[in-house]
Structure formats: C-alpha cells, structure tokens
C-alpha cells in the first residue's frame, strides 16, 4: 500500500461514490483529505472518514478560487481529484433542454477547469502536485448523452493540454475514464429504468460493473509517487467495456472454451 503521509488531497464530489471511495483510500494511506461537495450530508460523510469538508459548487469559480487561497495558506494541497459530477438523462437532442445541456457542460467541463485553474495554478508555483480528472467511457465512445459525453471528451482533452502546460512546472495531470460504476448516481439511473444492469454487465469483457474502490485504486496510483513518470494519460477503468464494443459486429463476446480445441 502506498504511503501518502504528508500529502494533502482535495477531492471535489468527495461526498459520494467514486470521490468518497478515493477519499477513503487516501485517508487510509495517511493523506490529509479535504472534500469539496454541495450535497446535504456530504459533511457527515467527510467527518466519518476523518476528512475536512467545505461546501462548494464547482461551477462557482469565485468560491473555488477563495477556497484554493484559503487551503494554500494552511496546508497547500499536493493532490487534486475532480470527481464532482452528475449523470444525464438519455434524451434525444430535440428534447434535451438547453438548461440540462448547459448544466452538463458547467459541472463537468467548467467545474473541472475551474478547480484545475485555481489549485493547479498554485501547485505550479510550488513546483509540486498531481491532478487526476474524471472523464468517462461516454467521452471516449458515443451514446445518447449529448451533453455529458462531449463534456467528458473535453475533460480528457483538457487534461492532456494541462499535462503539457504544467509538466515543466513539476505538476502531473492524468485522467481516469470510468466505465459503469456501482455508485449512488448509477443506482439512480438503474432505478429510473434508463439503464439495465444486465445489459451493462453483458457489454463489458469482464461481464460486470466496476466497483468505486477499483476506480479509486487507479486514481490513487496516478496521484502517488509510484506514477511519477506518468502525465497526460487517459486511463479507462471499465471492466473491459471499451474493448468489447466492436465484438457486437461478430455476434458479441464468446463464452470461454471448456475443452481443448
Ligand atoms: P455520485 O453522485 O455518487 O457522486 C458525485 C458527487 O459529486 C456527489 O456527492 C455530488 O453532490 C457531487 N457534485 C455534483 N455536482 C457538484 C457540484 N456542482 N459541485 C460540487 N459537487 C458536486 O456520482 P459518481 O458515480 O461517484 O460520479 C463521480 C464522477 O464519476 C462523475 O464525474 C461522473 O460523471 C463520473 N463517472 C461515473 C460513472 C458511473 O457509472 N458511476 C461512470 C463514468 C464516469
């Protein structure tokens, strides 16, 4: 297990799901963790794992900038993980409202950019830091998510650009692209009937959903000194969802052979 003693990780959306699993992992490895989230109850989730908490909306760049200034004055953050996110309904573009589309871009792309700008900019001045952003398989392929998908594609692109921009300043920027992950957000999609677990499982090479702890493990690795030579990477953690897709043209994934050919 990595020793993250002496590190201070800021995790947006750390009150639930992937962000909370990441906060738990890093706390267990000895890091100081500060969670930024806007949900009711996120403060209690933070308290349960010994993390500090600030109520914040990542789309409010003024509030994010103030928080970055505040934390810099106390314990300068060495890690930023941008997990804040919301899932989109699978509506056709003709009926997807401008309000919902704008919110997708604002929370994911603008929110990620605002946090990277405020926290990453300060890391560069200190020549020390690791950022992990969160995209999605929905941003690497296509699906009926016409705001969410493009926003996630842009996050992967942004992360590579920031990696090039800030590499000379000693700050690494990587991106994790989760597949369908068992979090409260996905549960809400499944309960609403927008998604079916059996279909999602069948579409992945490993035949299952991803656990939030598996995403957290990848984030924790990329944020740790063990990944000191990695920057600008976009890492799918998707139980093989992306590699399985093209097999549909050949009749889908096959069962393993049970006897020698
Ligand atoms: P989640 O709902 O369990 O957690 C997301 C957290 O983000 C919540 O605590 C929420 O309050 C917070 N949040 C939302 N909007 C915010 C804002 N404007 N400011 C601050 N906090 C905000 O969801 P999750 O499944 O853990 O998703 C985490 C990230 O992973 C998201 O970016 C999501 O798009 C991405 N992702 C999830 C899946 C999946 O299948 N669960 C797949 C691919 C990508």
């Amino acid at each position: 297990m990595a020793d993250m003693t002496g590190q201070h990780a800021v995790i947006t959306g750390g009150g639930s799901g992937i962000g909370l699993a990441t906060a738990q992992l890093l706390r267990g490895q000895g890091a100081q963790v500060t969670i930024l989230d806007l949900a009711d109850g996120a403060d209690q989730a933070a308290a349960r794992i010994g993390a500090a908490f600030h109520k914040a909306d990542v789309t409010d760049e003024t509030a994010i900038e103030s928080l970055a200034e505040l934390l810099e004055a106390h314990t300068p953050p060495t890690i930023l993980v941008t997990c804040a996110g919301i899932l989109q309904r699978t509506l056709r573009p003709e009926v997807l409202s401008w309000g919902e589309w704008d919110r997708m871009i604002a929370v994911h792309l603008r929110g990620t950019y605002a946090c990277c700008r405020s926290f990453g900019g300060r890391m560069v001045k200190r020549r020390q830091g690791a950022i992990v952003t969160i995209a999605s398989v929905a941003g690497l392929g296509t699906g009926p998510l016409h705001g969410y998908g493009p926003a996630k594609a842009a996050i992967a692109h942004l992360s590579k650009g920031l990696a090039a921009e800030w590499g000379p300043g000693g700050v690494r920027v990587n991106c994790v692209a989760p597949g369908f992950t068992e979090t409260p957000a996905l549960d809400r999609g499944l309960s609403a009937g927008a998604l079916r677990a059996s279909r999602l499982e069948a579409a992945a090479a490993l035949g299952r959903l991803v656990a939030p702890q598996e995403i957290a493990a990848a984030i924790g690795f990329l944020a740790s000194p063990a990944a000191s030579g990695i920057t600008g990477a976009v890492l799918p953690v998707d139980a093989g969802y992306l590699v399985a897709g093209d097999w549909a043209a050949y009749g889908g994934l096959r069962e393993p052979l049970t006897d020698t050919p």
Side-chain angles (χ1 to χ4, degrees):
M1 193 172 82
D3 179 8
M4 299 294 268
T5 311
Q7 303 271 2
H8 178 196
V10 172
I11 304 179
T12 73
S16 174
I18 292 168
L20 182 57
T22 305
Q24 277 171 316
L25 175 78
L26 293 176
R27 282 293 298 138
Q29 294 174 337
Q32 178 179 337
V33 172
T34 299
I35 287 174
L36 311 185
D37 203 306
L38 49 56
D40 292 338
D43 54 340
Q44 289 149 31
R48 276 194 292 276
I49 61 165
F53 176 80
H54 291 276
K55 190 156 190 145
D57 182 339
V58 295
T59 66
D60 181 348
E61 71 273 12
T62 309
I64 294 298
E65 177 65 12
S66 302
L67 275 170
E69 200 172 310
L70 178 80
L71 297 182
E72 190 74 14
H74 289 89
T75 314
T78 55
I79 294 169
L80 170 69
V81 185
T82 58
C83 285
I86 48 176
L87 299 190
Q88 193 211 297
R89 292 178 298 157
T90 55
L91 296 173
R92 293 176 189 280
E94 303 92 307
V95 288
L96 177 66
S97 71
W98 277 110
E100 190 167 349
W101 194 88
D102 282 343
R103 189 74 190 149
M104 289 299 138
I105 305 298
V107 173
H108 296 109
L109 181 55
R110 187 184 173 90
T112 299
Y113 183 66
C115 293
C116 289
R117 188 176 184 275
S118 290
F119 288 97
R122 287 175 170 80
M123 288 174 180
V124 169
K125 283 192 188 145
R126 283 184 268 119
R127 303 189 67 78
Q128 174 203 29
I131 297 174
V132 183
T133 62
I134 306 298
S136 167
V137 291
L140 302 180
T142 78
L145 299 167
H146 302 294
Y148 182 89
K152 291 300 195 180
I155 288 173
H157 187 277
L158 172 69
S159 307
K160 293 186 213 174
L162 293 179
E165 181 77 62
W166 287 337
V171 175
R172 296 185 298 107
V173 186
N174 290 292
C175 176
V176 167
F180 292 97
T181 308
E182 294 172 293
T183 67
L186 184 67
D187 283 347
R188 286 191 291 276
L190 292 170
S191 309
L195 296 163
R196 232 183 282 160
S198 57
R199 275 201 199 150
L200 303 181
E201 288 160 3
L206 297 183
R208 63 173 177 83
L209 302 177
V210 186
Q213 291 75 16
E214 292 176 305
I215 309 290
I219 296 170
F221 165 68
L222 289 171
S224 78
S228 56
I230 305 176
T231 195
V234 178
L235 177 64
V237 183
D238 65 348
Y241 176 83
L242 288 172
V243 294
D246 289 351
W247 285 63
Y250 300 93
L253 295 168
R254 296 188 284 216
E255 288 299 316
L257 282 178
T258 49
D259 50 6
T260 324

